[in-house]
Amino acid sequence: MNSMNVLIVGSGGREHALAWKINQSPRVDKVFVAPGNAGTSVDAVNVDIPQSDHEALIEFAKSNNVGLVVVGPEAPLVAGLVDDMQAAGLKVFGPSSAAAELEGSKVFCKNLLRSADIPTADYRAFRTADDAMRYIKDRYSEPTDPVNVVVKADGLAAGKGVVVCETRSEALEAIDRIAARKEFGAAGKELIIEERLTGPEVSVLAITDGETILTLPTAQDHKPAHDGDTGPNTGGMGAYCPAPVLDEQTLADVESGILVPIVHAMKRARRPFKGVLYAGLMLTPAGPKVLEFNVRFGDPECQPLLMRLQTDLVDVMEATVDGRLGELDGLTFDPRPAICVVMASEGYPGNYEKGHTITGIENADAMEDVKVFHAGTSLVDGNVVNTGGRVLGVTAMGDTISAAKLQAYKAVAKIRWQGAWCRKDISDKALAVVQLERS
């Protein structure tokens, strides 16, 4: 079997996990990551090209016998990197720019959900801060009036452009931050105000070639910064897989009532979807409803998912690109659960210090069923230093969820740098569900 080189575009924990898993394929010779991080330099070969430089990435892929390109983050997908690479004759895994608008524009996504009759929260879209504020003021008269709405920036905001509001004053402040002060940049050109749904959140990811849908095991992310789901939203402070809160019947309902309709809706919109379809769901008393769609592997959901995946990921990705996903026998996963605990820089998700030397990663990596995936790291004078808000995704498997949690936090305890912190309750929601089922 001829070997090939693979190029992964991106620099986060998701891309490290992809590099680590793809490098296990017997079909792969070299794995390149552009631009990568300190961890990908160990499990692959880093290439000093930013993800925004399409021309340089295409030239590198052509010059280095790259048989498959994998685009990890949402920004280059929305920016059309897949389209440019396909036009250059390269085989690339990921949706087109038109299809990636499912994540790139919340207004587009919500309108598509409504037209396809896919369950989601009621919403209104606004182009200006004044219109959005007038809407809130007309409905609620007092500053302390309970509103229970969610204000969302329309575009990409690195997982932070969502503000949950409980009072009128909080809603007006969120609108001001997003649409007037442009705290999230261009993402705030438009905004959405939607009803706040209640229930546990869960992530359902699937790989599709536009015809066949392969649903992955469920996962549960932890967006709020602090224990007990308190504090500001982040890009994700940890995840576990599978999520016992979603039973088999409900998952089947999600597949038939959400995943299949959205793939058909994208095809009708002349935006056929190929790649990873990520449904962020709220399990409401009325059934699962869509909070958002992403168009790539979630970070940190990707880490525990790929830790458990036993099928050759390169085979799956090539079949997706070629439109023959239905020819595969399905996906095989280690039956043991996996947990990822994100270690972050002090101050995240606000301002944080960079450049602190990290120690203990090798000791954690040496533990059984543990892998430390790098996100915001770089090599400086031979030392690994923190360069991002979310720095490491310490991932572990165990025979039970509690065993996986124990192993993950034992690994976390071996790693040190100035200001390092993490949530201490990753997977406690799953443990609560398991205990309830046993009682």
Side-chain angles (χ1 to χ4, degrees):
M1 183 180 296
N2 293 331
S3 62
M4 72 164 96
N5 295 334
V6 176
L7 171 63
I8 299 169
V9 178
S11 61
R14 166 186 45 236
E15 287 73 45
H16 188 189
L18 287 166
W20 173 76
K21 179 57 66 174
I22 288 172
N23 205 25
Q24 296 171 12
S25 171
R27 301 180 51 205
V28 171
D29 184 15
K30 288 183 180 179
V31 178
F32 301 103
V33 187
N37 56 45
T40 57
S41 69
V42 175
D43 289 305
V45 179
N46 283 355
V47 180
D48 189 19
I49 302 174
Q51 65 186 35
S52 58
D53 194 338
H54 296 194
E55 186 175 338
L57 290 167
I58 291 169
E59 178 58 33
F60 177 87
K62 286 187 169 184
S63 302
N64 288 272
N65 191 33
V66 169
L68 177 67
V69 181
V70 180
V71 183
E74 61 273 22
L77 291 171
V78 172
L81 179 56
V82 168
D83 309 67
D84 292 345
M85 287 192 157
Q86 288 176 338
L90 295 167
K91 180 175 287 190
V92 53
F93 178 85
S96 66
S97 177
E101 194 171 359
L102 191 62
E103 177 173 0
S105 170
K106 290 182 174 62
V107 172
F108 168 79
C109 178
K110 295 291 285 193
N111 289 342
L112 189 68
L113 291 171
R114 179 177 282 173
S115 67
D117 200 26
I118 295 172
T120 189
D122 288 338
Y123 72 98
R124 288 281 300 272
F126 300 91
R127 292 183 179 273
T128 69
D130 287 344
D131 288 344
M133 287 183 177
R134 190 176 302 112
Y135 171 76
I136 292 293
K137 290 175 180 178
D138 287 346
R139 295 186 63 179
Y140 310 99
S141 58
E142 299 297 326
T144 57
D145 276 355
V147 295
N148 285 325
V149 299
V150 181
V151 182
K152 297 181 176 181
D154 174 56
L156 299 178
K160 302 173 191 174
V162 176
V163 184
V164 178
C165 308
E166 296 183 355
T167 66
R168 178 181 184 267
S169 59
E170 288 179 1
L172 294 176
E173 170 68 12
I175 294 167
D176 185 61
R177 289 173 58 196
I178 291 171
R181 303 204 304 259
K182 303 294 184 186
E183 192 170 304
F184 304 103
K189 287 183 178 179
E190 292 187 64
L191 60 83
I192 281 177
I193 299 175
E194 66 179 33
E195 67 169 329
R196 181 182 179 183
L197 301 177
T198 59
E201 288 188 41
V202 66
S203 304
V204 177
L205 283 75
I207 298 175
T208 180
D209 60 2
E211 299 291 338
T212 300
I213 301 172
L214 291 182
T215 306
L216 306 179
T218 56
Q220 195 162 36
D221 189 10
H222 297 64
K223 287 291 187 186
H226 305 306
D227 290 2
D229 284 344
T230 59
N233 265 359
T234 70
M237 294 305 300
Y240 58 89
C241 170
V245 71
L246 194 66
D247 58 43
E248 290 186 8
Q249 181 56 56
T250 306
L251 180 59
D253 293 341
V254 169
E255 291 173 337
S256 61
I258 293 175
L259 296 181
V260 171
I262 199 67
V263 170
H264 286 319
M266 291 295 284
K267 190 184 301 183
R268 288 194 301 271
R270 298 183 179 179
R271 301 168 185 250
F273 194 98
K274 286 188 176 185
V276 177
L277 192 59
Y278 169 132
L281 308 174
M282 182 76 82
L283 303 182
T284 75
K289 293 189 177 185
V290 176
L291 294 173
E292 64 178 356
F293 269 110
N294 295 332
V295 297
R296 35 71 191 183
F297 280 108
D299 187 348
E301 294 98 330
C302 182
Q303 290 86 313
L305 273 169
L306 294 188
M307 190 88 164
R308 297 182 60 214
L309 179 66
Q310 295 176 326
T311 305
D312 190 326
L313 185 57
V314 173
D315 289 344
V316 178
M317 289 180 162
E318 277 205 312
T320 302
V321 175
D322 295 339
R324 49 180 180 80
L325 203 53
E327 298 176 8
L328 300 185
D329 294 330
L331 304 177
T332 303
F333 290 85
D334 192 308
R336 295 175 296 167
I339 292 171
C340 174
V341 178
V342 170
M343 299 183 70
S345 297
E346 185 176 13
Y348 177 79
N351 296 326
Y352 52 85
E353 291 187 2
K354 304 177 182 180
H356 296 299
T357 299
I358 305 171
T359 61
I361 294 176
E362 299 83 357
N363 294 334
D365 257 334
M367 294 174 60
E368 185 177 3
D369 293 324
V370 170
K371 177 63 181 177
V372 180
F373 295 111
H374 292 233
T377 66
S378 293
L379 280 174
V380 177
D381 298 329
N383 296 317
V384 178
V385 301
N386 70 314
T387 54
R390 294 188 298 163
V391 181
L392 301 172
V394 182
T395 308
M397 289 196 300
D399 291 335
T400 63
I401 291 172
S402 59
K405 177 185 177 183
L406 180 61
Q407 191 73 340
Y409 280 103
K410 280 183 177 179
V412 166
K414 294 180 181 293
I415 301 171
R416 294 280 186 273
W417 77 87
Q418 184 178 325
W421 66 279
C422 66
R423 280 184 59 159
K424 304 297 193 300
D425 64 344
I426 305 301
S427 82
D428 283 2
K429 296 174 187 176
L431 293 171
V433 171
V434 171
Q435 290 169 358
L436 184 63
E437 291 174 346
R438 290 174 178 171
S439 62

